[in-house]
Amino acid sequence: MKKIALLIAFAAIATTSLCQVDTTSVSYVAYWSIGDSYDFRVHKTSMQWSGDSLIKNDISEYIANFEVVDSTSTSYTVVWTFSNELANTWDIPDEMLEELSKYSLTEVVYTTTELGEFTSIENWKELGEMMRSMFSDIFRVLTKDSGEEYDKLMQTARPIIDMYSSKEGVEQIVFPELMLFHFPFGAMIPVADTISYEDLLPNLLGGVPIRADAKLWFEEVDFEEERSVLVQESKLNTDDTMDLLRSLFDRMGLKDASLTEALETAVYEINTSARYEYYYYPGVPINIESKKNMTLDVAGERARRDETITIELL
């Protein structure tokens, strides 16, 4: 997104009259002050199918507080505090939920540019260690303290645990709502045009980024209320997604010859869409709706996963 910000700005400036109020573009800039605080409801769903059978339907919701705790000429520092419902998305016996209650509250400290562009989670190491510990406790519960089964599960899942506990994983996988929250900040976007571009997404296994064909357009702009509705759609490059899948399987030790052969003709597609409703002044989201659809066809078997995230200003 940020790689196209300058291009979008030039396109908008070229059509802007210097003697009139600009209604040809919308600039997403954070006009925040220390102490600014907003509450949001974050709702997540994850549905998974094997063939035509629904095999997983997870729903979680939490209330988060967004508070600006520091402001300089080049940055903001924000604290995002919320109750963590991750443990409840697993099939955890009721008697074990109390033991996992230590993961019930999370505080994320992160920084942005002076425009509100996300830069970094400052306490990612602490959060990454929390994710490692949570995975360990959950696997121990699921394997009923069977040492051999637990060790085997941990070994197989280690690449995934490493992804979740890395800096990029904490930012992109554990807290995707923050990426959505700050997506448009720092950009000036023309109102009348649809912007098509190639996006580059982080490769959480390392290596080259994942390419995606993306486009942006406005569904609605109200200049009097300083409110806008921005829509984004993207389709990840299928070659890049398959390379990522093969790399993940290799690191998990899944090198069965039949699987390797099946992956040669497999298709892995990831499509996303998001609708961003904002008060672009002072830079506060009203409602964000994100949808991700993942489909894997391999050896005649079809699996599908749909994920949604909704962020609602309270």
Side-chain angles (χ1 to χ4, degrees):
M1 172 62 186
K2 305 314 172 191
K3 293 182 180 295
I4 67 164
L6 187 58
L7 176 63
I8 294 173
F10 280 136
I13 291 171
T15 60
T16 299
S17 170
L18 297 179
C19 60
Q20 296 178 354
V21 175
D22 179 20
T23 58
T24 64
S25 64
V26 172
S27 296
Y28 289 92
V29 177
Y31 296 98
W32 304 331
S33 300
I34 295 176
D36 284 356
S37 177
Y38 302 94
D39 289 331
F40 296 90
R41 176 181 290 109
V42 180
H43 184 85
K44 299 182 181 182
T45 67
S46 178
M47 304 176 69
Q48 188 170 330
W49 289 264
S50 178
D52 295 327
S53 301
L54 180 65
I55 60 175
K56 186 177 182 181
N57 186 12
D58 291 338
I59 301 174
S60 64
E61 184 174 286
Y62 69 84
I63 304 300
N65 177 256
F66 168 99
E67 183 179 2
V68 179
V69 296
D70 193 19
S71 174
T72 72
S73 61
T74 60
S75 69
Y76 292 100
T77 300
V78 176
V79 174
W80 178 267
T81 308
F82 68 100
S83 296
N84 186 354
E85 303 296 339
L86 287 176
N88 291 334
T89 68
W90 297 74
D91 295 325
I92 306 298
D94 290 341
E95 62 270 19
M96 299 302 298
L97 288 178
E98 183 177 352
E99 181 178 344
L100 297 178
S101 63
K102 59 187 174 183
Y103 305 114
S104 63
L105 185 67
T106 298
E107 182 178 87
V108 182
V109 181
Y110 68 95
T111 56
T112 75
T113 68
E114 72 277 14
L115 301 178
E117 301 168 90
F118 179 90
T119 52
S120 177
I121 289 181
E122 299 300 294
N123 60 333
W124 72 267
K125 290 184 179 179
E126 175 188 345
L127 296 169
E129 286 304 312
M130 185 197 76
M131 293 305 300
R132 285 186 181 276
S133 179
M134 184 188 299
F135 272 114
S136 178
D137 285 350
I138 289 175
F139 289 167
R140 179 174 52 78
V141 172
L142 295 178
T143 58
K144 297 180 170 54
D145 286 322
S146 170
E148 182 177 351
E149 188 177 354
Y150 169 82
D151 291 342
K152 183 178 180 180
L153 184 57
M154 285 292 291
Q155 183 63 34
T156 301
R158 190 164 305 282
I160 295 175
I161 297 173
D162 288 344
M163 281 198 301
Y164 271 79
S165 57
S166 68
K167 182 178 187 296
E168 294 78 10
V170 167
E171 293 174 349
Q172 300 288 334
I173 303 178
V174 183
F175 299 105
E177 52 266 47
L178 296 184
M179 302 302 103
L180 291 170
F181 191 107
H182 292 273
F183 172 78
F185 284 102
M188 177 188 291
I189 304 176
V191 171
D193 299 332
T194 295
I195 305 297
S196 298
Y197 62 101
E198 182 180 81
D199 206 356
L200 295 175
L201 308 177
N203 184 335
L204 298 179
L205 293 178
V208 297
I210 308 299
R211 293 170 293 173
D213 293 323
K215 57 184 179 179
L216 286 170
W217 71 92
F218 281 106
E219 179 181 298
E220 179 184 352
V221 177
D222 187 324
F223 286 99
E224 290 187 2
E225 292 189 1
E226 296 175 307
R227 183 181 64 85
S228 64
V229 179
L230 179 69
V231 179
Q232 186 224 25
E233 291 182 353
S234 69
K235 179 181 178 64
L236 272 65
N237 183 281
T238 53
D239 291 336
D240 290 359
T241 55
M242 283 306 303
D243 287 343
L244 179 66
L245 190 62
R246 293 188 188 97
S247 179
L248 178 59
F249 282 174
D250 285 344
R251 295 194 185 192
M252 294 176 69
L254 304 177
K255 299 181 180 181
D256 181 84
S258 60
L259 176 60
T260 301
E261 182 179 353
L263 287 176
E264 291 302 317
T265 57
V267 177
Y268 185 32
E269 294 185 348
I270 303 178
N271 299 309
T272 67
S273 64
R275 183 180 183 274
Y276 303 87
E277 182 179 2
Y278 272 74
Y279 288 119
Y280 56 86
Y281 182 87
V284 179
I286 303 168
N287 188 279
I288 300 173
E289 298 174 316
S290 171
K291 299 179 181 179
K292 178 185 291 185
N293 172 261
M294 295 163 279
T295 304
L296 175 63
D297 287 307
V298 55
E301 299 291 332
R302 180 181 175 88
R304 192 176 99 226
R305 183 185 182 98
D306 291 344
E307 297 180 350
T308 66
I309 300 176
T310 302
I311 305 172
E312 177 189 1
L313 176 66
L314 299 179

